[in-house]
């Protein structure tokens, strides 16, 4: 990965051209172009190729039955008939891959690139797709492919999960149907006497995908020679003793900084008033945005004292020497887990926690 880049976090794989999603002519033209490339999902999960090297995709120009499905979808675009209960699939426009296979002009502007979609068949994969070429993705395998492919997978999966979970209007409980290339939902209540904010309001007339923000914060001191790591009560894969950073979901009306200080105190009893945002990472399990921060604790014999008696979430929290973490990073080659000391493991480089550990370690090395 590039410096500062997080796994799942390369958002430049496709140009999302979000301003074109509500242009029906544009979406219809992508639905009928031979170069259009589709990531195949079934029951909410994608597939790898048979050699597990990349995502399984098809192009409309090489799959006539799929081309017929897309051509039909163009006729029911932005209509209630396009919902998955009737079509037996969910369809989402992802963006344009940077090439010149497809061209669209609007207001003297030219947009080029291969259109990318994700399609999720809500039951089984259709017979016209050779199942022997599909390898269901496991959580282990997704971390073994390149970050470009993983980021595209994350992009698609978050939308597909949203399609599968949100089928009814939160205001009037009527059905929802996809609009804007499947990136929004609209209420389909046909009863005009029912007042529905999702259908009738001038501004809030659609449902947007859900993203759940999570703060994850590495705790250190002013000289960066100490790092606080915590252990939850569960073992990763039922065998690894894993220590990592304090993390938790943001709550309504919280700033990122206040969410960090709250989670730190609730979980560890440590008081931290200095928080800075470092980097972020999409996490498609199911739809999180990890906001990586650093928290600097004043070692005054009070603020740094660990107290696990507030929230019962953690099994342990300890201050470790930064030099021990540096040794672990120096000896680390690859993998989801990084050996630390004794039987303890730390997150590998596919997790934002690893980048936060590296950040503090690099600051410490620059200071000495």
């Amino acid at each position: 990965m590039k410096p500062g880049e997080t796994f799942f976090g390369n958002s430049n794989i496709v140009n999302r051209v979000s301003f074109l999603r509500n242009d029906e002519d544009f979406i219809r033209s992508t639905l009928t172009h031979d170069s259009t490339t589709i990531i195949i999902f079934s029951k909410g999960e994608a597939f790898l190729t048979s050699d597990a090297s990349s995502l399984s995709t098809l192009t409309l120009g090489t799959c006539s039955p799929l081309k017929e499905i897309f051509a039909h979808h163009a006729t029911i675009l932005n209509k209630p008939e396009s919902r998955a209960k009737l079509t037996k699939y969910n369809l989402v426009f992802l963006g344009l891959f940077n090439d010149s296979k497809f061209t669209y002009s609007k207001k003297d502007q030219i947009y080029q690139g291969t259109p990318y979609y994700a399609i999720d068949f809500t039951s089984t994969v259709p017979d016209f797709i050779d199942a022997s070429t599909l390898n269901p993705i496991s959580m282990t395998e997704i971390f073994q492919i390149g970050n470009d492919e993983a980021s595209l997978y994350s992009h698609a999966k978050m939308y597909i999960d949203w399609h599968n979970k949100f089928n009814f209007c939160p205001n009037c409980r009527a059905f929802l149907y996809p609009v804007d290339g499947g990136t929004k939902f609209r209420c389909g209540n046909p009863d005009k006497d029912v007042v529905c904010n999702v259908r009738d309001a001038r501004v809030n007339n659609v449902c947007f995908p859900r993203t759940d923000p999570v703060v994850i914060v590495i705790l250190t001191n002013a000289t960066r020679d100490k790092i606080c790591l915590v252990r939850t009560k569960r073992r990763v894969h039922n065998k690894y003793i894993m220590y990592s950073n304090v993390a938790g979901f943001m709550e309504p009306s919280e700033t990122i900084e206040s969410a960090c200080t709250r989670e730190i105190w609730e979980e560890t009893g440590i008081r931290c008033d200095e928080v800075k945002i470092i980097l972020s990472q999409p996490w498609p399990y199911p739809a999180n945005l990890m906001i990586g921060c650093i928290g600097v604790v004043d070692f005054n014999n009070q603020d740094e004292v660990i107290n696990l008696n507030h929230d019962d979430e953690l099994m342990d929290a300890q201050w470790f020497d930064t030099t021990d973490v540096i040794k672990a990073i120096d000896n680390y080659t690859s993998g989801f887990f990084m050996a630390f000391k004794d039987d303890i493991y730390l997150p590998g480089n596919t997790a934002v926690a690893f980048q936060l550990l590296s950040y503090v370690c690099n600051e410490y090395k620059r200071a000495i």
Side-chain angles (χ1 to χ4, degrees), residues 11-81:
S11 59
N12 297 318
I13 303 303
V14 292
N15 181 353
R16 300 194 183 205
V17 287
S18 58
F19 51 89
L20 290 177
R21 294 172 187 161
N22 62 359
D23 183 336
E24 292 193 4
D25 289 337
F26 169 75
I27 294 296
R28 285 196 178 93
S29 63
T30 63
L31 288 168
T32 55
H33 197 270
D34 282 351
S35 73
T36 294
T37 302
I38 303 96
I39 302 172
I40 306 299
F41 281 73
S42 178
K43 299 179 181 178
E45 190 52 270
F47 298 89
L48 296 177
T49 53
S50 56
D51 61 358
S53 63
S54 60
L55 290 172
S56 180
T57 61
L58 289 171
T59 59
L60 292 187
T62 60
C63 185
S64 296
L66 194 58
K67 189 173 184 177
E68 291 178 6
I69 290 175
F70 272 59
H72 173 68
H73 196 86
T75 68
I76 57 175
L77 188 66
N78 295 340
K79 296 179 180 179
E81 293 79 13

Side-chain angles (χ1 to χ4, degrees), residues 223-261:
T223 56
R224 306 297 193 265
D225 63 330
K226 294 289 184 180
I227 293 175
C228 182
L229 299 172
V230 303
R231 178 187 176 187
T232 64
K233 292 186 176 181
R234 64 183 179 85
R235 291 197 175 201
V236 179
H237 291 187
N238 295 319
K239 58 181 179 179
Y240 292 99
I241 300 174
M242 174 72 79
Y243 278 70
S244 188
N245 300 326
V246 171
F249 287 97
M250 290 186 62
E251 296 188 353
S253 194
E254 273 191 319
T255 65
I256 293 170
E257 293 82 0
S258 62
C260 287
T261 57

Side-chain angles (χ1 to χ4, degrees), residues 121-173:
F121 295 102
T122 55
S123 55
T124 58
V125 177
D127 293 339
F128 63 79
I129 298 177
D130 184 0
S132 66
T133 65
L134 300 178
N135 179 24
I137 290 181
S138 69
M139 193 169 177
T140 301
E141 289 174 321
I142 194 62
F143 292 103
Q144 296 174 353
I145 65 175
N147 192 31
D148 287 357
E149 293 264 325
S151 298
L152 193 58
Y153 164 80
S154 174
H155 180 176
K157 182 170 175 57
M158 285 192 183
Y159 272 108
I160 292 300
D161 281 347
W162 174 61
H163 271 254
N164 284 327
K165 292 176 182 177
F166 293 85
N167 298 300
F168 301 100
C169 177
N171 185 271
C172 71
R173 295 178 289 180

